[in-house]
Amino acid sequence: MKIRIGTEASQSTDQVPDDWFNWKKKDKEEAESVARPSMSYWQDAWKRLIKNKLAMLGLIFLILLGFMAIFGPILSPYSVKIQDLPNQYQPPSSDHWFGTDSHGRDVFTRTWYGARISLFVGLMAALIDFTIGIVYGGISGYKGGRTDSILMRIIEILYGLPYLLVVILLLVVMGPSLTTIIVALTVTGWVGMARIVRGQVLQIKNYEFVLASKSFGTKTPRIIRKNLLPNTMGPIIVQLTLTVPSAIFAEAFLSFLGLGIQAPHASWGVMANDSLGAILSGNWWTLFFPAFFISFTMFAFNVLGDGLQDALDPKLRK
Amino acid sequence: MLRYILKRLLIMIVTIWIIVTLTFVLMISIPGSPFNSERGTNENVQANLEAHYNLDKPYHIQYLLYLKSIATFDFGPSIKQPGQTVNDLLGRGFPVSLELGLVTIIVAVISGIILGILAALKHNGILDYAAMSFAVLGISIPNFVLATLLIQELAVNWQIFPPATWSSPAHMVLPVIALATGPMAIIARLTRSTMLEVLTQDYIKMARAKGLSPWKIVVKHALRNALMPVITIMGTLLASILTGTFVIEKIFAIPGMGKYFVESINQRDYPVIMGTTVFYSTFLIFMLFLVDIAYGILDPRIKINKKGGE
Amino acid sequence: MEKILEVKDLHVTFSTYGGTVKAVRGVNFHLNKGETLAIVGESGCGKSVTSNAIMRLIPDPPGKISKGEIIFRGKDLTKLSEKKMRGLRGVDISMIFQDPMTALNPTLTIGTQLKEGLQQHRKISSDAAEVKAIEMMDLVGIPSPKERLKQYPHQFSGGMRQRIVIAMALICEPELLIADEPTTALDVTIQAQILELFEKIQEVTGVSIILITHDLGVVAKIADRIVVMYAGKIIEVGTKREVFYQPEHPYTKGLLNSVPRLDLQGEKLTPIDGTPPDLFSPPAGCPFTARCPFAMEVCDKVYPTGTTLSETHQVDCWLQDDRAKRLLATTAATTAEK
């Protein structure tokens, strides 16, 4: 039991009872409890992320969005494709929660279907970027020397290519479809990821603990898996969360140029583009819902990315 | 420094060559002839095109002649606009797009930097949160959505600014806001984060320990270092503004190159697509080159590093 | 001896999202004119915070001098306006930081950085400032100073940069120099050179020095008096001789035992087990209790008042109490019986 007596250091020595002058029982547990509970890097990062309200808002939104993208179209009684021209431009009502579009299709259903396509494009682009980037950047950074300088020259050249112009060019040739859009987006998209991975690997490969495992004769793949990867993940995860919204944006941009997903399929970009004129005639809902979901998804990924960046970089701790 | 410039120059040339080659591969890989009459080309134009691209010759000769025509800045005739060459379209459209782009970049850079610095100096204050919320919104809202909103509210509902075309400074306001908001938000966030990092550096503490005034510390010590990363992303930003002009010009009916380019994509007017792509890519790659050189001049550490061959 | 600086009951707190950190908790010490005072302790014990508080360089928010006085030449620095304080920084009190690699702005020539302090505080022409800068470069031992003024920091080695930082701190001829771990980031051989430089500049300029360090080797070389800090409190003060040869606080003893010494060859090094307490909620009693081999029940409950051992030597420890001495004696007797 602890007795707090007055304020510290204001106590006169004489007032301290004599029987307190006894050896304190050595309590091992207490000595250890003084130290703060140690947490793993990931636990610590997670704790910091949870504290970031904006990032959590983004995360929750994305989880709900993912759920609706999967189940939304199933839950709705309307079809994505079937047109119902007599019912065109119905404002939001209890029948059509988000209203109907120029072809009388239910915007609510199409919004979740669009979420499916947009998220699929975003996630696939991120996944492919990630895979190529990790392999390329990892090899470049880890091997170093000649390999590195050749691989880096290639990257420098690719990096100079104007991303969207190349994508446009490729889609003009290949013709727009879900697959070709993803291919076009990733043809030069992985370069950024490869650069980050290489930077991380270079920084960490000379750390003492890697040298230590090397001197124990650990094989290269094991070093990469056990030592390099966990320590390089932070900026890579952040880059991933930022790749998804930029791919979603690029898809919307391509829809605008007529190079996006083709009708009757719908992505948010296609829906927004189809409705650009509609808003002027007062049918705001046809643009509002896809535009809102593009914007809010980009927002969610951005704040989540920011939150992860703060959470995963201990240097930024305040 | 010279070595550094030469290296950048070489990379620039290779990149341009890749783009040119890519457009050529595009042309020959389109099924059938890209210029045949099925696409509604009249015979006169078709003959012109076949002559320009030397379609009667083998591929490698075609390729060399194509390189030569690009090098002499001759992008050939348009399919859909009879009697017009791609050069004519560029000559008419590019100055307008350049004007839009330049005004946008100036607005974006100045307002972005000011916003970023204010946010960093008032770190965790109300101004910081306000500026950064604004920036996150700016990054999240696609420019075509913003453009439509602006037209709907400021042009149609409130009638403060004209909704379309490009004839007076008032016409510039909405397209520039729509186009500049995204890049401005990116610059503001970057400036803020580098500024915050720079402000924790020991040399800033040292400057404070010398008794310098806060103003002097920001201007002399922090700003220059904080703006370095902004320079490095200028190339990427230019590219995004340039592709943004495609969308903005179409929405606001601005007679720039972007509008022609979007039309050419919709109509599959291949010579215009190829010519514009090559022209814009070259322009961007050259800008990237200038940015690299500027960075080399501004950061004294680069000279030494590059002299020693990295 | 004339006291140039007196710190009285200084408290510094930092508010963070996890609560308030009480980084410095009632620190008292003074500095005599022309002497070198070393503040020693583990990282996080509040020694750097104390020195930043003297310069009023604590970032506010989150930091705050919540209580106490810092008397410099009769004036309480904690009450000065920021503007008046700015007139003092670099002129009367200067500071040197740990890492010379980061203390210089990479994008400005060292000439610019050397001169700017002078030009800020004195009405002086650029040429005159340059003459003074060259003079200072010469004093800190940088060869061909005139040419090197035009160079950038990355063109200098670590040791050279620290010399430049020292020149920068001394250019306005301050009375007090605070050096925060000035040698930690340097190679051992360079460390020795920099320490010699400190001795030389003190001889030439008569500047008083507060040296913040965790390196007892550095302390042994140039300090006159030593302040030992632990968990935001000063637990022992004395002359170098007193602290090194008659340490009284178990922490001071532990600190000395954990450092290899040439004069005590063959002795075993003993590290101090455990870690310092969390300063979010510092213990009511002596903060060292949990790690102390002589911990008594009283140590947990009440913080010991200072015991004066000599005019210069004070210690905060319950072992100085007569009752503790009796306890020690009985314990020694019982162990001897066994």
Side-chain angles (χ1 to χ4, degrees), chain C residues 1-53:
Chain C
M1 255 188 288
E2 191 193 335
K3 285 179 186 171
I4 166 166
L5 177 82
E6 194 164 10
V7 175
K8 289 180 183 167
D9 197 27
L10 180 71
H11 287 73
V12 183
T13 54
F14 289 87
S15 354
T16 68
Y17 67 78
T20 306
V21 179
K22 298 163 194 80
V24 173
R25 308 184 289 144
V27 155
N28 294 285
F29 68 92
H30 70 273
L31 178 71
N32 296 320
K33 199 167 170 48
E35 78 169 343
T36 301
L37 174 77
I39 304 183
V40 194
E42 293 169 67
S43 53
C45 72
K47 54 191 197 299
S48 288
V49 176
T50 305
S51 64
N52 283 331

Side-chain angles (χ1 to χ4, degrees), chain B residues 11-22:
Chain B
I11 287 177
M12 175 174 91
I13 291 167
V14 174
T15 319
I16 293 174
W17 170 74
I18 287 180
I19 278 284
V20 172
T21 308
L22 207 62

Side-chain angles (χ1 to χ4, degrees), chain A residues 185-197:
Chain A
L185 287 178
T186 45
V187 161
T188 57
W190 57 272
V191 172
M193 178 64 89
R195 276 192 154 187
I196 288 179
V197 174

Side-chain angles (χ1 to χ4, degrees), chain C residues 166-225:
Chain C
I166 293 170
M168 219 187 273
L170 293 174
I171 196 156
C172 290
E173 293 162 359
E175 279 183 70
L176 170 58
L177 177 67
I178 302 173
D180 190 353
E181 306 259 5
T183 57
T184 311
L186 301 173
D187 287 347
V188 183
T189 46
I190 310 292
Q191 276 186 17
Q193 292 171 11
I194 294 293
L195 290 178
E196 271 162 30
L197 179 61
F198 271 109
E199 287 178 320
K200 181 182 154 196
I201 55 171
Q202 195 164 39
E203 222 168 83
V204 177
T205 65
V207 65
S208 317
I209 299 176
I210 294 181
L211 181 76
I212 315 285
T213 183
H214 64 269
D215 185 342
L216 289 169
V218 170
V219 176
K221 189 148 165 54
I222 64 168
D224 297 313
R225 286 193 307 128

Side-chain angles (χ1 to χ4, degrees), chain C residues 52 108 119 133 150 181 212 214 229 265 290 294 333:
Chain C
N52 283 331
L108 296 175
Q119 285 166 322
K150 294 185 196 75
E181 306 259 5
I212 315 285
H214 64 269
M229 280 190 77
Q265 276 189 19
F294 302 102

Side-chain angles (χ1 to χ4, degrees), chain A residues 236-253:
Chain A
I236 293 168
I237 289 174
V238 173
Q239 169 78 6
L240 265 180
T241 50
L242 298 179
T243 305
V244 182
S246 79
I248 291 177
F249 173 78
E251 190 278 324
F253 171 80

Side-chain angles (χ1 to χ4, degrees), chain A residues 153 156-157 160-162 164-166 168-169 172-173 176 249 252-253 256-259 272 276 279-280 287 291 294-295 298-299 302-303 306, chain B residues 8 11 14-15 18-19 23 26 29 136 139-142 144-145 148 152 189 243 247 250-251 262 265-266 270 277 280-281 284-285 288 310:
Chain A
R153 282 304 150 274
E156 258 176 281
I157 290 163
L161 292 176
L164 278 174
L165 285 175
V166 173
I168 291 170
L169 214 52
V172 166
V173 184
F249 173 78
F253 171 80
F256 193 86
L257 299 184
L259 292 172
L276 283 179
I279 187 175
L280 296 178
L287 175 65
I294 295 178
S295 305
M298 307 253 298
F299 170 81
N302 279 317
V303 292
D306 285 355
Chain B
R8 293 280 121 195
I11 287 177
V14 174
T15 319
I18 287 180
I19 278 284
T23 54
L26 152 88
S29 61
V136 173
I139 289 174
S140 304
I141 300 178
F144 57 87
V145 173
T148 326
Q152 166 79 4
R189 280 159 53 103
T243 43
V247 172
K250 187 183 161 195
I251 293 179
V262 176
I265 291 172
N266 288 330
Y270 294 105
T277 309
Y280 268 178
S281 304
L284 280 178
I285 292 163
L288 217 58
E310 279 182 294

